[in-house]
Amino acid sequence: QVNVVESGGGLVQAGESLRLSCAVSGMRIGMNTMGWFRQAPGKQRELVAHITSGGTANYVDDVKGRFTISRDNVKNTVYLQMNSLRPEDTAVYYCRRPSITADAWGQGTLVTVSS
């Protein structure tokens, strides 16, 4: 059974940075594609970044140049470095394997960006 625990969210002002962490158990992240999702109030959950087992990272246009996804295979942890945050980045952020629907969602970590 795969479990994830997201952390690192908080309240920041526009332009500031946060680094999210996702501690994973039950599978080796280095052998899987991992993604960060977010769900803003009243909106559907969306995939904003993912990193393949080969280390290739992809981002939605809205976060390109501002967010960086990375992983530490030894710690089995996935990170999302978020810079130049905007109020529209306010959301609960989740991590999981994008293509494995059987994986449970974690509790997420709330990011609130004030203007």
Side-chain angles (χ1 to χ4, degrees):
Q1 181 179 356
V2 177
N3 289 296
V4 298
V5 178
E6 301 96 342
S7 62
L11 172 62
V12 297
Q13 292 188 333
E16 294 184 338
S17 300
L18 279 174
R19 187 194 194 204
L20 307 184
S21 299
C22 173
V24 181
S25 61
M27 59 91 172
R28 303 304 302 174
I29 63 170
M31 300 176 65
N32 289 274
T33 295
M34 294 297 299
W36 279 98
F37 297 75
R38 67 184 178 188
Q39 187 166 20
K43 295 187 177 181
Q44 288 190 335
R45 189 148 33 195
E46 63 170 342
L47 177 65
V48 297
H50 69 272
I51 184 167
T52 69
S53 58
T56 300
N58 292 279
Y59 306 90
V60 294
D61 288 345
D62 190 41
V63 307
K64 279 181 182 176
R66 301 189 298 123
F67 290 11
T68 303
I69 187 171
S70 63
R71 63 171 188 241
D72 184 327
N73 292 342
V74 174
K75 295 182 178 179
N76 220 40
T77 300
V78 185
Y79 302 99
L80 187 67
Q81 177 67 43
M82 305 187 297
N83 299 328
S84 302
L85 282 162
R86 305 168 180 169
E88 53 265 39
D89 295 319
T90 295
V92 179
Y93 285 73
Y94 304 87
C95 77
R96 62 171 281 173
R97 291 183 290 186
S99 60
I100 309 299
T101 56
D103 284 352
W105 292 97
Q107 84 288 350
T109 186
L110 176 62
V111 172
T112 304
V113 185
S114 63
S115 57

